[in-house]
Amino acid sequence: MTVDGLLERAGRLGPGEVLAGALAGNLALFAVALVAGSLLVRRFGDRRVAPEPPPPDRREWLLTATAVLLNSGVGVAGWALWQHGLLRLSADTGLRAVAELLLFSLVMDALMYAGHWLAHRRRLYRLAHELHHRYPDPRPSTLFVLHPLEVLGFGGTWLAVLCLWEISALALAGYVVVNLVFGLLGHLGVEPFPARARRLAVFRWVALPMFHAGHHVDPGVNLGFYTTVWDRLFGTIDPAYDTRRTAENPAP
């Protein structure tokens, strides 16, 4: 089925069908993250960049379930905005969709850096983000261990940006994958990339798994998500990051 056909079909769905689909999709994303993450941790357990976490507790699972539900609600809200013409999606494919995906990811990276910086200001930190840092030793499911305000804040930012310009539905789907991949890799607690890959010039700017893991070890550094650009620009990058990034053994 073409992108046009998928959009036409989505436009005929009712709210209940959209909610069920959003919930199923978010559960699938969580399952993929959990399975893929567990396999990566098992395979590269000898490359730990953060201490091994204790078994998950009941609150961790509750926060994870809440995040999945709220993310589903954000998906339904996006569909409603689209139905009312406030959020516009195109059926563009090819290089245009790739360019839109890159641009959207960079814009979100900048906004998420700014939001993350604000979340670490004392009063705001205690309000919400402190909860995520109560789990300093990350595992794949830690990606979903967030205060509900943070989940809604990210979702609201995402929808606000989408309302500002028409974006390809394919690029939007690609961004969901990009966000999941970077989020998962950043919460593995291990570094799957070998030293020869980490030394490539591209990884000076594209965040490696060890980049966000370093933030869990020291919450004052490495505030970015997809790139290191903003941390380098504003001086919040871990001073030892590039040394560790290019070392044979990246352990802190």
Side-chain angles (χ1 to χ4, degrees):
M1 182 178 288
T2 64
V3 177
D4 270 322
L6 288 172
L7 288 174
E8 183 181 348
R9 185 173 180 180
R12 295 197 302 265
L13 296 175
E17 294 172 302
V18 173
L19 177 59
L23 184 57
N26 277 281
L27 285 171
L29 291 174
F30 172 70
V32 168
L34 206 61
V35 172
S38 297
L39 291 173
L40 288 169
V41 170
R42 187 179 304 172
R43 171 65 178 82
F44 300 104
D46 58 333
R47 296 185 197 164
R48 280 234 151 247
V49 290
E52 189 167 352
D57 57 29
R58 183 181 300 178
R59 182 176 61 179
E60 190 171 349
W61 288 118
L62 178 60
L63 288 168
T64 298
T66 302
V68 170
L69 289 172
L70 290 177
N71 281 330
S72 302
V74 169
V76 175
W79 173 83
L81 289 170
W82 176 59
Q83 286 285 78
H84 287 85
L86 298 173
L87 188 157
R88 295 166 296 156
L89 298 175
S90 75
D92 291 328
T93 58
L95 290 178
R96 183 180 179 88
V98 173
E100 287 181 339
L101 169 59
L102 291 174
L103 178 60
F104 188 76
S105 298
L106 289 173
V107 169
M108 287 302 298
D109 190 48
L111 292 174
M112 289 163 69
Y113 174 87
H116 199 186
W117 183 88
L118 285 172
H120 275 274
R121 301 312 94 194
R122 182 174 296 178
R123 292 183 180 179
L124 290 176
Y125 183 74
R126 291 175 177 173
L127 177 65
H129 193 53
E130 181 183 26
L131 186 60
H132 185 66
H133 281 283
R134 289 180 187 174
Y135 300 89
D137 307 327
R139 71 173 112 251
S141 60
T142 310
L143 168 61
F144 298 87
V145 180
L146 298 167
H147 192 286
L149 287 177
E150 287 195 280
V151 179
L152 294 176
F154 171 74
T157 301
W158 185 56
L159 294 178
V161 174
L162 285 172
C163 287
L164 295 178
W165 80 78
E166 183 176 305
I167 190 172
S168 162
L170 199 59
L172 181 57
Y175 175 72
V176 172
V177 175
V178 166
N179 186 59
L180 179 70
V181 168
F182 274 87
L184 171 61
L185 292 177
H187 291 89
L188 290 176
V190 302
E191 178 53 72
F193 290 89
R196 64 180 180 276
R198 299 196 306 271
R199 291 173 186 144
L200 294 174
V202 66
F203 286 120
R204 174 174 169 78
W205 305 105
V206 175
L208 286 159
M210 62 186 295
F211 183 74
H212 189 73
H215 175 70
H216 275 263
V217 174
D218 179 358
V221 300
N222 300 359
L223 301 175
F225 288 88
Y226 312 140
T227 76
T228 67
V229 171
W230 311 110
D231 286 281
R232 294 186 189 278
L233 183 62
F234 294 108
T236 52
I237 194 166
D238 179 0
Y241 175 67
D242 283 322
T243 301
R244 290 182 55 221
R245 175 177 65 85
T246 56
E248 285 294 332
N249 180 7

